[in-house]
Each structure stands twice: as C-alpha cells, then as structure tokens.
Amino acid sequence: MEKYFDQHISRQFNQELENLRRDVMKMGGMAEEMVVDAMAALLEGDTEKAESVIKADDAVNQIEKHIDEQAMEILARRQPTASDLRLVMAIVKTVNDLERVGDEAEKIARLSIELANTHRPRGNYNELENMAGHVRVMLRDALDGFARMVAEVAVSLFRADEKVDDEYEAILRQYYTYLAEDPRSTTRVINAIWIARSLERIGDHAKNIGEHIFYLVEGKDVRHTSSEEKEQVVLRDPKA
Amino acid sequence: MEKYFDQHISRQFNQELENLRRDVMKMGGMAEEMVVDAMAALLEGDTEKAESVIKADDAVNQIEKHIDEQAMEILARRQPTASDLRLVMAIVKTVNDLERVGDEAEKIARLSIELANTHRPRGNYNELENMAGHVRVMLRDALDGFARMVAEVAVSLFRADEKVDDEYEAILRQYYTYLAEDPRSTTRVINAIWIARSLERIGDHAKNIGEHIFYLVEGKDVRHTSSEEKEQVVLRDPKA
C-alpha cells in the first residue's frame, strides 16, 4: 500500500488519497451491513429492519456520488501519475460495484417484507442463509484486499465466486422442484428465487472488486480471463 | 459536441478523443446487435444464431478493455482539463454499462437455446418481443444521445425506463399465473422470466448511459434523483 501513498511529494495530496480510500472502506462497511441486516430481516420476518435497509441505500448512493466527485477533483487539481490514475479508476469502479451491492441488499429487504406475512417454509430459508454467509465472506475479503492492496485476492475471489455460482444453481434446482410440486406456494418461492439471484449478484460484485484491485496493483486488466490465467499472472509477477 | 473536441490546441489529442468516441459507438452498435440477435434466436428457435451471440460477447468484452486502456493512456499522457476528465469518466462508465448489456444479451441467447427444444407457447413470447422492442429503442436513444451529447436524453430515458419497468411487472404477473396454473411448464416459464429480467436490466443500463451523458454535458450527477429533479436541472440550465 505504501507505494501508492508515499510517493507523493505533496503531503496534502497523500492526505486526499487517504481520505478517499477511507471513504471507500466506509462505503464498503455500509454495504456489507445492509446485506447482513437484509438477511436478518428475512430470517426473523422483521419488517422494521427491512425498512431500515431500504433507507440505508440512500446513504450508500450519496457516498458514491461524494467519492466520485472527490476522485474527479483530485485528478483535475493534481497532475496525476499513471499509478494515481489507476488508483482513482480502481476506486471509481469499486464504488460502482459497492453501490450495486447496496441495491441488491435493498431488493432483498423489499422481498423480505413481502415474505414476512407468508407461511415460513421448513428450514426457514436456511439455504439462503448459508449462501449469504459465503457471499458475505467474499465481500469482506474484497474490502480487506482493497485495504491492504493485495492482488492475490482477485484469484481467491474468482474461485469463491465459482463455488457460490454452483450453490446458486443447486438452490434454483431445489426451488424449481417446489414450484412444480406445490403451485400454491408460487409467489413465495419466486420471491425466494429473486433473493438467491441478488445474493449471486453480490458475489459477482465482490469478484469484480478483486479484479479492480488486481488492475491497480499489477497494472493488468484481468477481467474476462479464467482463474488459471489470473493465477499465472500473479505467479509470474515477482511483485505479487 | 464541438465544445468537447475543438478546445484542444493539439490536433492529435482531438483525434485521440474522437477515436475513443468512435470506439464507444462501435461497441454500442455491437451490444445492440447482440440484443436484436438474441431475441431473434428466441423467437425463431434458432440455436445457431444464439451461439453467434454468445461468441460476440467476447468481442464486446475485449473492446471494453481496449477503450479503458486508451482512456487511461490519454489521461496519463495529456494534462486533462476538468471537462476532458468528465468526458473520459463518462466514457469509462458508459462502456461498463454497454459491457453489461452484452452480458444480458448473452444470457438471453443461452436461455433461448434451452427454450428452442421446448413446446412453444401460444403467442410465441410476443410479450417479450414487445418489451425487447421498447428496450432496443432506449438503447438506440442512449447511443444517439452519446453521439450528439445531449443532456435531455437522460430525462426521456428515465421516463422510458419507468414504462419498461411497468411492462416488466405486468409480464411477471402473467408468468406467475402460468406457474400456478400449469406446473408442467415450470422450467419453460422460469426461463422466460429470466429473459424478461435481462431485458429489464438492459433498460436500466440504457438509463444509466443517459445519466453519464447528463453528467458529462451538465457537470451534474443526476444518478439517484427522480425524473422531476432531473427535468428541473435540464430546464433551469441555460445550456440545456
């Protein structure tokens, strides 16, 4: 991390970049909390908690705008080096993904309100609880990777995302069976499918953040490459 | 548009920005074609066409990387003014949305392969065909707005997106009824729901592009504001 912040002769510039980084971490924490609270609202049928998640999304949207503005101002006032540009670009892309995580959490909260007054299935959505746990770890790892600026996190997040995708497919197959077997529960099962879908998307966003960090640290764009290719880049590069 | 390109003393810089803009338009055209072909593949049960859409997604991903690289290089080599920065940022965000349009078209293509061998419903998915038509107009308007750099497109796209969202909700209600009435068609109807969902997302991305254009032209970030607020900004501002 030091290499991104100590190279600037201007202490004020360092401070500005540091503030930006801190805002991203704060936004990440907010988005993560929204996911946790949205799932708690689902599992406990707590519509008040769900409402608070819906409200929190505004704050996440506002902090995204603020970070974007600050990033542009830094670039406009300073003469950014190539690595500053990469840092700012990685930040702008990361907050875009975090904002979408907030959107998905808001969707889960809205669906949990719809589900609060319906019959609770056996297991009380524990398959969704498990999946949410895995996705939350991904989000945590992405933010931790951002804080420490480690490129390897891109590879581990790519792998974790593949597992979450498999889990998602398994949940869908299970839900399709329910739909075919019990037409009376259609609306409830469809809502549960949307929640699974939102969790899968949150995993995607965490994986994307890993790719932004990779790009920032290594200067290489690994979007749309396989995990093997990503790994080769990490292993080949003495910096990694 | 002229104001973005004629202010640079360096003709070469102008040329670089112009190339970038042309690449975005090219990418937009590719994404739009993918949507059109994916829907044709669905309606005609044409799996070969669907395969070509899946292949086209790679090309769209590669052009996104290329544009991102060029944008960064321009910023690194030149001393960008505030409006250059806005232009580059709007381009980077726009290609991000276009890339996701390509992803959604690819999903539709994959789903159309699964649906090709199933019983075709009465009406042959004409509700999806209609919705795709509206979404395609949105995408076209977004690209046209980008080419001409007109801020007002943000307002009209916001309105169009609200209509498409209503259409989407109506289609979902219809499909939920099918699910409850005929459990044997569960998989087919679920696949059709996913297609509707992808179309709805494509509309969102077109709307997002309108917001990036607005930000570029007006210097104001109108994400997460209502259509009334957007309209006020447009009306208040003598430039608009």
Side-chain angles (χ1 to χ4, degrees):
Chain A
M1 202 172 75
E2 286 69 22
K3 65 182 163 179
Y4 292 100
F5 296 103
D6 287 354
Q7 69 194 3
H8 299 107
I9 294 153
S10 156
R11 285 182 78 169
Q12 204 202 326
F13 190 13
N14 268 347
Q15 191 54 52
E16 286 171 4
L17 289 176
E18 181 56 34
N19 289 347
L20 207 54
R21 208 180 61 88
R22 203 183 303 141
D23 284 345
V24 175
M25 292 305 293
K26 186 178 154 196
M27 184 182 176
M30 288 161 74
E32 192 187 346
E33 203 184 321
M34 283 177 71
V35 176
V36 172
D37 287 349
M39 287 305 297
L42 170 72
L43 300 171
E44 296 155 19
D46 184 343
T47 55
E48 225 168 280
K49 191 167 266 174
E51 294 289 353
S52 78
V53 173
I54 293 167
K55 225 174 261 167
D57 193 47
D58 284 338
V60 167
N61 291 341
Q62 291 312 316
I63 199 170
E64 184 199 14
K65 276 191 190 184
H66 173 75
I67 292 172
D68 267 12
E69 276 164 23
Q70 295 306 107
M72 295 302 289
E73 228 187 275
I74 286 178
L75 289 185
R77 267 189 300 112
R78 310 287 174 178
Q79 273 164 31
T81 63
S83 83
D84 294 336
L85 280 171
R86 281 219 307 276
L87 174 64
V88 171
M89 204 54 77
I91 285 175
V92 167
K93 292 192 171 199
T94 296
V95 298
N96 185 266
D97 279 298
L98 288 175
E99 189 265 327
R100 287 165 198 248
V101 169
D103 285 348
E104 299 298 338
E106 191 200 338
K107 279 183 209 162
I108 294 173
R110 288 188 190 280
L111 291 161
S112 79
I113 293 174
E114 292 198 34
L115 286 170
N117 296 316
T118 63
H119 156 77
R120 304 196 83 68
R122 235 185 325 160
N124 192 26
Y125 306 109
N126 69 334
E127 65 285 352
L128 293 177
E129 188 178 8
N130 288 337
M131 188 180 173
H134 299 147
V135 161
R136 195 191 164 188
V137 169
M138 286 181 71
L139 203 50
R140 171 64 56 94
D141 287 350
L143 291 171
D144 184 58
F146 182 87
R148 296 188 299 123
M149 296 292 171
V150 284
E152 293 89 334
V153 76
V155 180
S156 60
L157 282 169
F158 190 93
R159 294 237 173 89
D161 190 50
E162 287 181 323
K163 275 193 194 165
V164 163
D165 285 351
D166 290 345
E167 193 176 2
Y168 170 63
E169 294 295 337
I171 288 175
L172 285 191
R173 277 195 300 274
Q174 184 187 348
Y175 286 173
Y176 291 1
T177 319
Y178 296 163
L179 282 175
E181 282 170 358
D182 181 12
R184 287 163 307 165
S185 67
T186 297
T187 308
R188 184 170 61 72
V189 176
I190 287 277
N191 283 334
I193 288 178
W194 290 131
I195 291 175
R197 171 77 184 157
S198 282
L199 291 173
E200 188 266 337
R201 295 292 300 152
I202 294 171
D204 282 348
H205 292 302
K207 182 194 68 172
N208 291 347
I209 292 172
E211 292 176 348
H212 306 325
I213 298 165
F214 195 96
Y215 162 74
L216 166 57
V217 177
E218 300 292 327
K220 291 189 194 76
D221 194 336
V222 287
R223 289 176 298 179
H224 318 302
T225 58
S226 68
S227 72
E228 287 71 26
E229 287 174 273
K230 280 193 184 73
E231 203 163 51
Q232 275 173 12
V233 175
V234 172
L235 294 176
R236 205 186 307 130
D237 199 309
K239 275 188 295 172
Chain B
M1 201 172 75
E2 285 69 23
K3 64 181 162 177
Y4 292 100
F5 297 103
D6 288 354
Q7 69 194 4
H8 298 108
I9 295 154
S10 156
R11 285 182 78 170
Q12 204 201 327
F13 190 14
N14 267 348
Q15 192 54 53
E16 285 171 4
L17 288 175
E18 181 55 34
N19 289 347
L20 206 55
R21 207 181 62 88
R22 203 183 303 142
D23 283 345
V24 175
M25 292 305 293
K26 188 179 154 196
M27 184 181 175
M30 288 161 75
E32 192 187 346
E33 205 184 320
M34 282 177 72
V35 176
V36 172
D37 288 349
M39 286 307 296
L42 169 73
L43 299 171
E44 296 156 18
D46 184 341
T47 55
E48 226 168 280
K49 191 168 266 174
E51 294 288 354
S52 78
V53 173
I54 294 167
K55 226 175 259 167
D57 193 47
D58 284 338
V60 167
N61 291 342
Q62 291 310 318
I63 199 170
E64 185 200 12
K65 276 192 190 184
H66 173 76
I67 293 171
D68 267 13
E69 276 163 24
Q70 295 307 107
M72 295 301 289
E73 228 186 275
I74 287 178
L75 290 186
R77 267 189 300 111
R78 309 286 173 179
Q79 273 163 30
T81 64
S83 83
D84 293 337
L85 280 171
R86 282 218 307 276
L87 174 63
V88 171
M89 204 54 77
I91 285 176
V92 167
K93 292 191 173 199
T94 296
V95 298
N96 185 266
D97 278 299
L98 289 174
E99 190 263 329
R100 287 164 198 248
V101 169
D103 285 348
E104 298 299 338
E106 192 200 337
K107 280 182 209 161
I108 295 172
R110 289 188 190 279
L111 291 161
S112 79
I113 292 175
E114 292 197 34
L115 287 169
N117 296 316
T118 62
H119 156 77
R120 304 197 82 69
R122 235 185 325 158
N124 191 27
Y125 306 109
N126 70 334
E127 64 286 352
L128 294 176
E129 188 177 10
N130 288 338
M131 187 179 174
H134 299 146
V135 161
R136 194 190 165 189
V137 169
M138 286 181 71
L139 203 50
R140 171 64 57 95
D141 287 350
L143 290 171
D144 184 58
F146 182 87
R148 297 188 298 121
M149 296 289 170
V150 284
E152 292 89 334
V153 76
V155 180
S156 61
L157 282 170
F158 190 92
R159 294 237 173 91
D161 190 50
E162 287 181 324
K163 274 193 194 163
V164 164
D165 285 351
D166 290 344
E167 193 175 4
Y168 170 63
E169 295 294 337
I171 289 175
L172 284 191
R173 277 195 299 275
Q174 185 185 347
Y175 285 174
Y176 290 1
T177 319
Y178 295 163
L179 282 175
E181 281 171 0
D182 181 11
R184 285 164 309 165
S185 66
T186 297
T187 308
R188 184 170 62 70
V189 176
I190 287 275
N191 283 334
I193 288 178
W194 291 131
I195 291 174
R197 171 77 184 158
S198 282
L199 291 172
E200 187 265 338
R201 296 292 300 152
I202 293 170
D204 282 348
H205 292 301
K207 182 194 68 171
N208 291 347
I209 292 171
E211 292 176 348
H212 306 324
I213 298 164
F214 194 97
Y215 162 75
L216 165 59
V217 176
E218 300 293 327
K220 290 190 194 77
D221 193 335
V222 286
R223 289 177 297 178
H224 318 300
T225 58
S226 69
S227 72
E228 287 72 26
E229 286 174 273
K230 280 192 184 73
E231 202 163 52
Q232 276 173 10
V233 176
V234 171
L235 294 176
R236 206 186 307 133
D237 198 309
K239 274 188 297 172

mmCIF file of all heavy atoms in Angstrom, chain B residues 23-52:
data_model
loop_
_atom_site.group_PDB
_atom_site.id
_atom_site.type_symbol
_atom_site.label_atom_id
_atom_site.label_comp_id
_atom_site.label_asym_id
_atom_site.label_seq_id
_atom_site.Cartn_x
_atom_site.Cartn_y
_atom_site.Cartn_z
ATOM 1 N N ASP B 23 -14.964 4.402 -30.918
ATOM 2 C CA ASP B 23 -14.936 3.039 -30.373
ATOM 3 C C ASP B 23 -16.154 2.772 -29.482
ATOM 4 O O ASP B 23 -16.706 1.672 -29.484
ATOM 5 C CB ASP B 23 -13.652 2.816 -29.563
ATOM 6 C CG ASP B 23 -12.443 2.585 -30.462
ATOM 7 O OD1 ASP B 23 -12.639 2.318 -31.670
ATOM 8 O OD2 ASP B 23 -11.306 2.678 -29.960
ATOM 9 N N VAL B 24 -16.545 3.798 -28.697
ATOM 10 C CA VAL B 24 -17.729 3.623 -27.842
ATOM 11 C C VAL B 24 -18.956 3.379 -28.713
ATOM 12 O O VAL B 24 -19.769 2.483 -28.435
ATOM 13 C CB VAL B 24 -17.965 4.853 -26.930
ATOM 14 C CG1 VAL B 24 -19.263 4.693 -26.137
ATOM 15 C CG2 VAL B 24 -16.792 5.049 -25.982
ATOM 16 N N MET B 25 -19.091 4.165 -29.792
ATOM 17 C CA MET B 25 -20.236 3.992 -30.683
ATOM 18 C C MET B 25 -20.214 2.597 -31.328
ATOM 19 O O MET B 25 -21.250 1.946 -31.460
ATOM 20 C CB MET B 25 -20.239 5.061 -31.784
ATOM 21 C CG MET B 25 -20.507 6.480 -31.286
ATOM 22 S SD MET B 25 -22.035 6.659 -30.334
ATOM 23 C CE MET B 25 -23.268 6.358 -31.613
ATOM 24 N N LYS B 26 -19.024 2.154 -31.700
ATOM 25 C CA LYS B 26 -18.881 0.826 -32.292
ATOM 26 C C LYS B 26 -19.311 -0.256 -31.286
ATOM 27 O O LYS B 26 -20.086 -1.157 -31.605
ATOM 28 C CB LYS B 26 -17.410 0.614 -32.695
ATOM 29 C CG LYS B 26 -17.154 -0.647 -33.485
ATOM 30 C CD LYS B 26 -15.679 -0.754 -33.865
ATOM 31 C CE LYS B 26 -15.302 -2.213 -34.065
ATOM 32 N NZ LYS B 26 -13.831 -2.416 -34.053
ATOM 33 N N MET B 27 -18.825 -0.107 -30.057
ATOM 34 C CA MET B 27 -19.180 -1.060 -29.013
ATOM 35 C C MET B 27 -20.687 -1.057 -28.766
ATOM 36 O O MET B 27 -21.305 -2.103 -28.593
ATOM 37 C CB MET B 27 -18.435 -0.698 -27.720
ATOM 38 C CG MET B 27 -18.653 -1.684 -26.597
ATOM 39 S SD MET B 27 -17.763 -1.169 -25.087
ATOM 40 C CE MET B 27 -18.357 -2.449 -23.952
ATOM 41 N N GLY B 28 -21.275 0.149 -28.754
ATOM 42 C CA GLY B 28 -22.716 0.262 -28.576
ATOM 43 C C GLY B 28 -23.477 -0.449 -29.677
ATOM 44 O O GLY B 28 -24.462 -1.145 -29.419
ATOM 45 N N GLY B 29 -22.998 -0.285 -30.909
ATOM 46 C CA GLY B 29 -23.633 -0.962 -32.032
ATOM 47 C C GLY B 29 -23.558 -2.479 -31.893
ATOM 48 O O GLY B 29 -24.534 -3.200 -32.168
ATOM 49 N N MET B 30 -22.402 -2.955 -31.421
ATOM 50 C CA MET B 30 -22.240 -4.397 -31.217
ATOM 51 C C MET B 30 -23.201 -4.924 -30.155
ATOM 52 O O MET B 30 -23.830 -5.976 -30.318
ATOM 53 C CB MET B 30 -20.792 -4.703 -30.796
ATOM 54 C CG MET B 30 -19.775 -4.556 -31.918
ATOM 55 S SD MET B 30 -18.071 -4.387 -31.281
ATOM 56 C CE MET B 30 -17.718 -6.082 -30.793
ATOM 57 N N ALA B 31 -23.301 -4.174 -29.043
ATOM 58 C CA ALA B 31 -24.185 -4.602 -27.953
ATOM 59 C C ALA B 31 -25.641 -4.620 -28.429
ATOM 60 O O ALA B 31 -26.404 -5.550 -28.126
ATOM 61 C CB ALA B 31 -24.014 -3.686 -26.746
ATOM 62 N N GLU B 32 -26.016 -3.600 -29.180
ATOM 63 C CA GLU B 32 -27.388 -3.519 -29.684
ATOM 64 C C GLU B 32 -27.686 -4.705 -30.613
ATOM 65 O O GLU B 32 -28.740 -5.326 -30.518
ATOM 66 C CB GLU B 32 -27.570 -2.195 -30.433
ATOM 67 C CG GLU B 32 -29.009 -1.867 -30.755
ATOM 68 C CD GLU B 32 -29.143 -0.637 -31.651
ATOM 69 O OE1 GLU B 32 -28.157 0.112 -31.806
ATOM 70 O OE2 GLU B 32 -30.246 -0.447 -32.208
ATOM 71 N N GLU B 33 -26.731 -5.012 -31.481
ATOM 72 C CA GLU B 33 -26.909 -6.138 -32.406
ATOM 73 C C GLU B 33 -27.061 -7.454 -31.639
ATOM 74 O O GLU B 33 -27.849 -8.324 -32.028
ATOM 75 C CB GLU B 33 -25.695 -6.211 -33.338
ATOM 76 C CG GLU B 33 -26.001 -6.888 -34.662
ATOM 77 C CD GLU B 33 -24.732 -7.027 -35.500
ATOM 78 O OE1 GLU B 33 -23.911 -6.079 -35.517
ATOM 79 O OE2 GLU B 33 -24.569 -8.106 -36.112
ATOM 80 N N MET B 34 -26.295 -7.582 -30.552
ATOM 81 C CA MET B 34 -26.411 -8.796 -29.742
ATOM 82 C C MET B 34 -27.827 -8.958 -29.188
ATOM 83 O O MET B 34 -28.367 -10.058 -29.160
ATOM 84 C CB MET B 34 -25.417 -8.757 -28.579
ATOM 85 C CG MET B 34 -23.987 -9.078 -28.976
ATOM 86 S SD MET B 34 -22.856 -8.922 -27.540
ATOM 87 C CE MET B 34 -23.333 -10.378 -26.563
ATOM 88 N N VAL B 35 -28.398 -7.838 -28.730
ATOM 89 C CA VAL B 35 -29.758 -7.897 -28.176
ATOM 90 C C VAL B 35 -30.745 -8.319 -29.263
ATOM 91 O O VAL B 35 -31.582 -9.212 -29.063
ATOM 92 C CB VAL B 35 -30.177 -6.529 -27.576
ATOM 93 C CG1 VAL B 35 -31.620 -6.571 -27.093
ATOM 94 C CG2 VAL B 35 -29.244 -6.133 -26.430
ATOM 95 N N VAL B 36 -30.620 -7.695 -30.436
ATOM 96 C CA VAL B 36 -31.519 -8.000 -31.552
ATOM 97 C C VAL B 36 -31.391 -9.480 -31.950
ATOM 98 O O VAL B 36 -32.392 -10.189 -32.097
ATOM 99 C CB VAL B 36 -31.199 -7.090 -32.763
ATOM 100 C CG1 VAL B 36 -31.982 -7.526 -33.994
ATOM 101 C CG2 VAL B 36 -31.512 -5.638 -32.416
ATOM 102 N N ASP B 37 -30.149 -9.956 -32.079
ATOM 103 C CA ASP B 37 -29.931 -11.339 -32.493
ATOM 104 C C ASP B 37 -30.384 -12.338 -31.436
ATOM 105 O O ASP B 37 -30.913 -13.412 -31.767
ATOM 106 C CB ASP B 37 -28.446 -11.575 -32.817
ATOM 107 C CG ASP B 37 -28.038 -10.905 -34.123
ATOM 108 O OD1 ASP B 37 -28.942 -10.443 -34.858
ATOM 109 O OD2 ASP B 37 -26.830 -10.846 -34.417
ATOM 110 N N ALA B 38 -30.167 -11.985 -30.170
ATOM 111 C CA ALA B 38 -30.586 -12.898 -29.098
ATOM 112 C C ALA B 38 -32.099 -13.062 -29.123
ATOM 113 O O ALA B 38 -32.619 -14.181 -28.968
ATOM 114 C CB ALA B 38 -30.121 -12.371 -27.745
ATOM 115 N N MET B 39 -32.822 -11.960 -29.343
ATOM 116 C CA MET B 39 -34.284 -12.050 -29.391
ATOM 117 C C MET B 39 -34.735 -12.812 -30.634
ATOM 118 O O MET B 39 -35.681 -13.598 -30.575
ATOM 119 C CB MET B 39 -34.909 -10.647 -29.359
ATOM 120 C CG MET B 39 -34.867 -9.977 -28.002
ATOM 121 S SD MET B 39 -35.562 -10.954 -26.631
ATOM 122 C CE MET B 39 -37.290 -11.079 -27.142
ATOM 123 N N ALA B 40 -34.057 -12.590 -31.774
ATOM 124 C CA ALA B 40 -34.391 -13.344 -32.985
ATOM 125 C C ALA B 40 -34.162 -14.832 -32.746
ATOM 126 O O ALA B 40 -34.981 -15.671 -33.142
ATOM 127 C CB ALA B 40 -33.550 -12.845 -34.168
ATOM 128 N N ALA B 41 -33.067 -15.154 -32.058
ATOM 129 C CA ALA B 41 -32.774 -16.563 -31.750
ATOM 130 C C ALA B 41 -33.897 -17.173 -30.920
ATOM 131 O O ALA B 41 -34.310 -18.310 -31.144
ATOM 132 C CB ALA B 41 -31.439 -16.676 -31.010
ATOM 133 N N LEU B 42 -34.411 -16.387 -29.959
ATOM 134 C CA LEU B 42 -35.513 -16.871 -29.127
ATOM 135 C C LEU B 42 -36.771 -17.106 -29.957
ATOM 136 O O LEU B 42 -37.375 -18.179 -29.922
ATOM 137 C CB LEU B 42 -35.823 -15.858 -28.018
ATOM 138 C CG LEU B 42 -37.116 -16.122 -27.238
ATOM 139 C CD1 LEU B 42 -36.951 -17.320 -26.317
ATOM 140 C CD2 LEU B 42 -37.556 -14.896 -26.441
ATOM 141 N N LEU B 43 -37.133 -16.083 -30.736
ATOM 142 C CA LEU B 43 -38.427 -16.123 -31.426
ATOM 143 C C LEU B 43 -38.434 -17.151 -32.545
ATOM 144 O O LEU B 43 -39.469 -17.754 -32.842
ATOM 145 C CB LEU B 43 -38.782 -14.727 -31.963
ATOM 146 C CG LEU B 43 -38.905 -13.642 -30.883
ATOM 147 C CD1 LEU B 43 -39.040 -12.269 -31.509
ATOM 148 C CD2 LEU B 43 -40.074 -13.921 -29.942
ATOM 149 N N GLU B 44 -37.254 -17.358 -33.172
ATOM 150 C CA GLU B 44 -37.171 -18.318 -34.279
ATOM 151 C C GLU B 44 -36.668 -19.685 -33.818
ATOM 152 O O GLU B 44 -36.529 -20.598 -34.644
ATOM 153 C CB GLU B 44 -36.228 -17.753 -35.365
ATOM 154 C CG GLU B 44 -36.755 -16.463 -35.997
ATOM 155 C CD GLU B 44 -35.638 -15.604 -36.595
ATOM 156 O OE1 GLU B 44 -34.539 -16.150 -36.825
ATOM 157 O OE2 GLU B 44 -35.877 -14.401 -36.816
ATOM 158 N N GLY B 45 -36.336 -19.805 -32.530
ATOM 159 C CA GLY B 45 -35.769 -21.064 -32.048
ATOM 160 C C GLY B 45 -34.478 -21.414 -32.769
ATOM 161 O O GLY B 45 -34.156 -22.578 -32.999
ATOM 162 N N ASP B 46 -33.704 -20.385 -33.078
ATOM 163 C CA ASP B 46 -32.505 -20.544 -33.908
ATOM 164 C C ASP B 46 -31.265 -20.650 -33.008
ATOM 165 O O ASP B 46 -30.697 -19.644 -32.589
ATOM 166 C CB ASP B 46 -32.400 -19.325 -34.834
ATOM 167 C CG ASP B 46 -31.247 -19.432 -35.821
ATOM 168 O OD1 ASP B 46 -30.319 -20.232 -35.579
ATOM 169 O OD2 ASP B 46 -31.281 -18.696 -36.826
ATOM 170 N N THR B 47 -30.845 -21.877 -32.716
ATOM 171 C CA THR B 47 -29.732 -22.069 -31.778
ATOM 172 C C THR B 47 -28.398 -21.618 -32.377
ATOM 173 O O THR B 47 -27.497 -21.212 -31.646
ATOM 174 C CB THR B 47 -29.600 -23.536 -31.334
ATOM 175 O OG1 THR B 47 -29.484 -24.352 -32.495
ATOM 176 C CG2 THR B 47 -30.803 -23.970 -30.533
ATOM 177 N N GLU B 48 -28.288 -21.680 -33.709
ATOM 178 C CA GLU B 48 -27.038 -21.240 -34.336
ATOM 179 C C GLU B 48 -26.835 -19.733 -34.111
ATOM 180 O O GLU B 48 -25.750 -19.282 -33.790
ATOM 181 C CB GLU B 48 -27.086 -21.546 -35.837
ATOM 182 C CG GLU B 48 -25.820 -22.186 -36.368
ATOM 183 C CD GLU B 48 -26.041 -22.719 -37.776
ATOM 184 O OE1 GLU B 48 -26.618 -23.825 -37.923
ATOM 185 O OE2 GLU B 48 -25.683 -21.994 -38.725
ATOM 186 N N LYS B 49 -27.922 -18.998 -34.302
ATOM 187 C CA LYS B 49 -27.854 -17.553 -34.065
ATOM 188 C C LYS B 49 -27.516 -17.268 -32.594
ATOM 189 O O LYS B 49 -26.732 -16.369 -32.284
ATOM 190 C CB LYS B 49 -29.188 -16.901 -34.443
ATOM 191 C CG LYS B 49 -29.140 -15.395 -34.497
ATOM 192 C CD LYS B 49 -30.376 -14.802 -35.153
ATOM 193 C CE LYS B 49 -30.164 -14.568 -36.644
ATOM 194 N NZ LYS B 49 -31.375 -14.137 -37.345
ATOM 195 N N ALA B 50 -28.104 -18.058 -31.716
ATOM 196 C CA ALA B 50 -27.817 -17.879 -30.286
ATOM 197 C C ALA B 50 -26.331 -18.096 -30.011
ATOM 198 O O ALA B 50 -25.709 -17.332 -29.257
ATOM 199 C CB ALA B 50 -28.669 -18.844 -29.458
ATOM 200 N N GLU B 51 -25.761 -19.117 -30.640
ATOM 201 C CA GLU B 51 -24.322 -19.390 -30.445
ATOM 202 C C GLU B 51 -23.477 -18.201 -30.918
ATOM 203 O O GLU B 51 -22.464 -17.872 -30.305
ATOM 204 C CB GLU B 51 -23.893 -20.657 -31.208
ATOM 205 C CG GLU B 51 -24.514 -21.956 -30.696
ATOM 206 C CD GLU B 51 -23.955 -22.404 -29.339
ATOM 207 O OE1 GLU B 51 -23.001 -21.769 -28.852
ATOM 208 O OE2 GLU B 51 -24.505 -23.374 -28.771
ATOM 209 N N SER B 52 -23.901 -17.572 -32.005
ATOM 210 C CA SER B 52 -23.117 -16.434 -32.520
ATOM 211 C C SER B 52 -23.175 -15.252 -31.548
ATOM 212 O O SER B 52 -22.211 -14.491 -31.421
ATOM 213 C CB SER B 52 -23.600 -16.036 -33.914
ATOM 214 O OG SER B 52 -24.791 -15.277 -33.818
#
